[in-house]
Amino acid sequence: MIRRRFVNLVVDNYSTGERSLHRLDAVKHLFYPSTAKAEAAHDAKKNNNGVRTPPEIGTLRRLPPPTMHLGTFPTSVHPCCLEDTFMLLSHRTSDGRILHANSKKGLTHIYDAGAGSTTVIPTLQRWKGGRPIMISIGGAGTGAKEEGKERVYVMSNYCCDDSFEVLDFSQHPHKWEPLPLLPCAKSYDSNIRSFTVVDGGSTICVSTESIGTYCFDTRSHEWRKAGDWKLPFLDQAEYVPELETWLGFSLSHFCFKPKHLCASSDLSAMDAQREPKLQHVWEDLNPPSEEEFLELGGNFQGTVLKRSVNWYPYGQHLVNLGGGRFCIAKVFQVQQEITLHFEGDTTVGEEFVILIGVEVVRGGDNGEDGLRMVKHKSKRYVFTSDRIRCVL
């Protein structure tokens, strides 16, 4: 797999209503020249007790100029309600072919950032909701025998929505073909919380909130139930051949707790009796939390005011850059809470994204077998009139 230099940022500007594509040089902003230099930089931050202090988060003051303009959107709509979906095609061999689907209208385009071109492809047959599941197989280099014959699978995130389609780029003319629904689609109102691809691209696995995990055979187009357990990831987990493992974000029972980078190597052997387990969970970013107590004077003598400042996570993206390198993007909102006489007042501060460069390498921290994560650099970009919609 090629080692990608650029990370694609899809940005919505709420002043102009314009959507644009920006390409950030990850090598320059997020990585040291080598693994050894990244480790040396973090070792230099150890305190007198030999404990590493949290790495500093740099500032990304401005985005690189847009390479493409992707159209307009209604500025009256809340960012969370916009229906458009983006995914990077052939991400193991290219870093600039992006599929854009409007989930509400079904209109679909492919933007080639390298060539600066746009190609219109057939419209999706059915609406897929605000956060559809999109999976690319074959041309993405998953190891399938039909390498180079890319297929894109799109399904609704909700089991009760009867919508599952595939677009095979090797067939002409291109068209979306309907596929069999999850067997539980008509009887359960549950959303899909995690998904991945196993068996070299021949099987798609999805886990739902209440009915376990199902597998779809991409050759026979048949579903089977894998077990009552759930995949140990949140959203998509990706198989990384050079590490022989699946990487994704860990689950959390609390909505506002950070989800950390994690890995599992036993998904291919899962069955009804054996639930897949995580082998590694790494703390890629621990959001700071500030809390102080102030004793008031004057007429409020003896009264204590409590002030808390917290970072609340609102989403995360994992971008595979090849060669064991990854960009982790996490969106946060800062909230300040002031409590006096058991009555609280909350104010919302800035919203921003933290871009983190990490590397996963073989060999445990103490020379043991397994994998370990090496942190490189982190950058914070504060949203103003523009907002990073997705990172690819």
Side-chain angles (χ1 to χ4, degrees):
M1 177 181 178
I2 64 168
R3 175 173 284 185
R4 291 172 48 188
R5 185 179 186 89
F6 294 98
V7 173
N8 301 291
L9 309 174
V10 178
V11 176
D12 293 340
N13 189 299
Y14 280 80
S15 293
T16 63
E18 182 179 79
R19 178 172 288 138
S20 55
L21 177 67
H22 304 248
R23 285 162 64 78
L24 180 74
D25 189 335
V27 173
K28 174 183 176 182
H29 291 283
L30 302 180
F31 288 94
Y32 289 98
S34 68
T35 308
K37 290 189 175 181
E39 292 179 315
H42 290 297
D43 285 340
K45 298 182 182 299
K46 289 182 178 179
N47 60 24
N48 294 332
N49 296 323
V51 179
R52 288 180 181 174
T53 58
E56 296 180 359
I57 299 177
T59 301
L60 186 63
R61 300 191 181 280
R62 61 179 62 87
L63 297 177
T67 58
M68 297 187 74
H69 296 283
L70 308 180
T72 59
F73 62 93
T75 56
S76 59
V77 178
H78 190 275
C80 294
C81 298
L82 292 175
E83 303 290 347
D84 292 30
T85 303
F86 298 84
M87 75 172 298
L88 185 68
L89 296 174
S90 306
H91 70 287
R92 294 192 180 278
T93 56
S94 170
D95 65 1
R97 292 180 63 238
I98 296 170
L99 185 146
H100 167 211
N102 182 289
S103 300
K104 193 72 173 179
K105 298 180 180 178
L107 302 177
T108 312
H109 306 78
I110 293 178
Y111 302 105
D112 191 324
S117 62
T118 301
T119 304
V120 179
I121 59 177
T123 299
L124 287 166
Q125 297 181 358
R126 298 290 300 273
W127 178 55
K128 300 293 188 294
R131 294 185 60 195
I133 292 169
M134 304 183 74
I135 300 172
S136 177
I137 293 179
T142 56
K145 293 181 179 179
E146 58 269 30
E147 179 75 29
K149 299 179 181 179
E150 190 164 10
R151 289 162 287 137
V152 175
Y153 295 83
V154 183
M155 67 185 304
S156 172
N157 187 44
Y158 299 97
C159 295
C160 57
D161 290 344
D162 55 346
S163 189
F164 186 21
E165 301 177 45
V166 61
L167 177 65
D168 190 337
F169 285 98
S170 67
Q171 295 182 355
H172 298 278
H174 296 329
K175 63 178 181 178
W176 292 95
E177 297 283 355
L179 293 172
L181 306 179
L182 266 171
C184 61
K186 294 298 184 179
S187 56
Y188 287 89
D189 184 6
S190 180
N191 66 306
I192 295 171
R193 72 167 191 173
S194 54
F195 60 98
T196 192
V197 175
V198 299
D199 299 334
S202 63
T203 305
I204 296 172
C205 297
V206 300
S207 287
T208 66
E209 289 286 355
S210 58
I211 53 177
T213 299
Y214 281 79
C215 294
F216 179 76
D217 190 315
T218 59
R219 294 164 297 192
S220 66
H221 291 184
E222 294 179 347
W223 286 97
R224 66 176 176 85
K225 187 167 185 178
D228 292 326
W229 42 261
K230 305 177 185 67
L231 292 168
F233 299 97
L234 178 69
D235 297 329
Q236 183 172 14
E238 179 182 354
Y239 182 67
V240 184
E242 54 265 45
L243 299 174
E244 298 180 318
T245 193
W246 281 260
L247 287 179
F249 289 109
S250 60
L251 293 166
S252 172
H253 295 294
F254 301 96
C255 295
F256 295 114
K257 290 293 184 181
K259 284 73 176 173
H260 296 302
L261 183 67
C262 62
S264 176
S265 60
D266 67 344
L267 297 191
S268 59
M270 60 188 176
D271 55 38
Q273 287 73 41
R274 197 169 68 89
E275 178 180 355
K277 302 292 184 182
L278 293 177
Q279 276 76 48
H280 307 278
V281 178
W282 300 286
E283 187 180 271
D284 47 65
L285 177 67
N286 187 19
S289 180
E290 303 173 13
E291 187 173 85
E292 61 180 350
F293 298 87
L294 303 176
E295 185 171 346
L296 305 182
N299 295 332
F300 298 95
Q301 187 72 36
T303 301
V304 176
L305 180 146
K306 176 184 176 182
R307 174 180 175 271
S308 302
V309 178
N310 296 295
W311 289 19
Y312 288 104
Y314 275 86
Q316 56 279 320
H317 307 267
L318 179 63
V319 181
N320 188 351
L321 301 176
R325 288 188 170 189
F326 302 85
C327 169
I328 297 173
K330 296 191 172 184
V331 179
F332 291 92
Q333 185 182 85
V334 171
Q335 291 188 5
Q336 176 177 267
E337 300 175 0
I338 299 177
T339 305
L340 179 64
H341 291 305
F342 304 103
E343 294 184 4
D345 185 27
T346 301
T347 58
V348 177
E350 61 188 12
E351 189 176 10
F352 51 86
V353 65
I354 302 289
L355 300 172
I356 312 163
V358 302
E359 187 173 7
V360 179
V361 298
R362 294 187 180 278
D365 293 325
N366 299 316
E368 302 172 352
D369 293 336
L371 302 173
R372 60 189 174 93
M373 183 189 72
V374 178
K375 293 183 183 179
H376 282 249
K377 302 177 184 178
S378 301
K379 293 290 179 70
R380 175 163 74 170
Y381 178 72
V382 178
F383 300 158
T384 51
S385 60
D386 57 354
R387 188 178 192 278
I388 295 178
R389 179 162 182 77
C390 61
V391 182
L392 305 167

